Amino acid sequence: MDEWVKEYWIKALFGGVISGFGVMVAWLKKKFKRQEAFEMGMQALLRNEIRKEYKECVNKEYCSLDDMENIQDMYDSYHVLGGNGSITRLMEKLKKMPTEKPIKEKES
């Protein structure tokens, strides 16, 4: 009887443990895929919003300190998610913009 327990129950136990690891690995792989998709989507949304804010600042010819703080927060998150490149160049241009509305001279 002891031999039977050693031979079959131990094999069954190890088989169950190994199967459990396989299920766990498959579940983690699926979870990481979803996480990656979520991060890519968030990065795309942030990139789009930063571009929109940039165009708005260019149209009004200045970037207020409040706007810059908001855009910088979005950029920091975007950068952590792996984004850079053209958005980094936009940020550099935004930082060079005036922070107050330009005063236009009256035409005579």
Side-chain angles (χ1 to χ4, degrees), residues 3 7 101:
E3 295 299 318
E7 186 175 343
K101 187 174 184 175

Side-chain angles (χ1 to χ4, degrees), residues 87-104:
I87 299 302
T88 300
R89 290 189 290 279
L90 290 184
M91 289 301 296
E92 291 168 0
K93 290 178 183 179
L94 279 171
K95 289 176 182 178
K96 293 177 183 176
M97 292 184 81
T99 57
E100 296 180 1
K101 187 174 184 175
I103 300 172
K104 300 209 181 204

Side-chain angles (χ1 to χ4, degrees), residues 15-53:
V17 169
I18 291 171
S19 296
F21 280 128
V23 169
M24 187 182 286
V25 166
W27 178 79
L28 286 172
K29 186 176 179 182
K30 186 176 180 181
K31 183 176 174 113
F32 285 128
K33 256 186 164 176
R34 283 189 198 149
Q35 181 67 26
E36 184 180 3
F38 176 79
E39 289 175 6
M40 288 172 56
M42 183 58 68
Q43 183 182 0
L45 291 170
L46 287 166
R47 180 176 49 246
N48 184 57
E49 190 63 24
I50 292 168
R51 283 184 176 152
K52 187 177 105 184
E53 292 293 325

Side-chain angles (χ1 to χ4, degrees), residues 10 61 67 96:
I10 292 175
E61 299 178 355
D67 289 342
K96 293 177 183 176

Side-chain angles (χ1 to χ4, degrees), residues 5-17:
V5 170
K6 287 179 185 176
E7 186 175 343
Y8 295 105
W9 281 98
I10 292 175
K11 286 180 183 179
L13 179 66
F14 283 123
V17 169

